[in-house]
Amino acid sequence: MLDSKTTGIVAYITWIGLLIALVAGDREGAKFHLNQALVIWLAGLFSVIPCIGWLWGIFCFICAVIGCIAAINGEEKAVPLLGSIKLLK
């Protein structure tokens, strides 16, 4: 079982990390970061759109880095533009 800080960090790494965090992590303690990571990875799917998609992909990558840094520091800092979306309750 992962603690809440580790769960938040792992969730931002890759899709597999997000799945590991959801299954083996502290879901209640890291709910904020799990939600943020899920929103970022789902929004990243739009990066396949030609021309503007690569800009969106870079933006999503930067959001993931910002979220991971916030998880490392133990903060619940919302990422720009995507941070207000809540998918997990």
Side-chain angles (χ1 to χ4, degrees), residues 23-48:
V23 172
D26 177 15
R27 275 185 251 155
E28 288 305 313
K31 186 185 286 188
F32 177 81
H33 290 293
L34 288 171
N35 183 68
Q36 294 259 101
L38 180 62
V39 169
I40 290 168
W41 291 118
L42 288 175
L45 294 175
F46 291 109
S47 65
V48 298

Side-chain angles (χ1 to χ4, degrees), residues 13 21 30 39 45 49-50 59 67 70-71 75 80 87:
I13 305 290
V39 169
L45 294 175
I49 298 171
F59 172 75
E75 301 172 348
L87 296 178

Side-chain angles (χ1 to χ4, degrees), residues 32-82:
F32 177 81
H33 290 293
L34 288 171
N35 183 68
Q36 294 259 101
L38 180 62
V39 169
I40 290 168
W41 291 118
L42 288 175
L45 294 175
F46 291 109
S47 65
V48 298
I49 298 171
C51 299
I52 202 154
W54 64 276
L55 287 172
W56 185 252
I58 292 170
F59 172 75
C60 288
F61 175 76
I62 292 170
C63 285
V65 170
I66 291 170
C68 190
I69 291 170
I72 290 169
N73 292 332
E75 301 172 348
E76 289 190 358
K77 182 179 177 185
V79 296
L81 205 66
L82 303 173

Side-chain angles (χ1 to χ4, degrees), residues 10-22:
V10 169
Y12 289 107
I13 305 290
T14 62
W15 274 103
I16 296 169
L18 179 62
L19 292 176
I20 290 170
L22 283 170

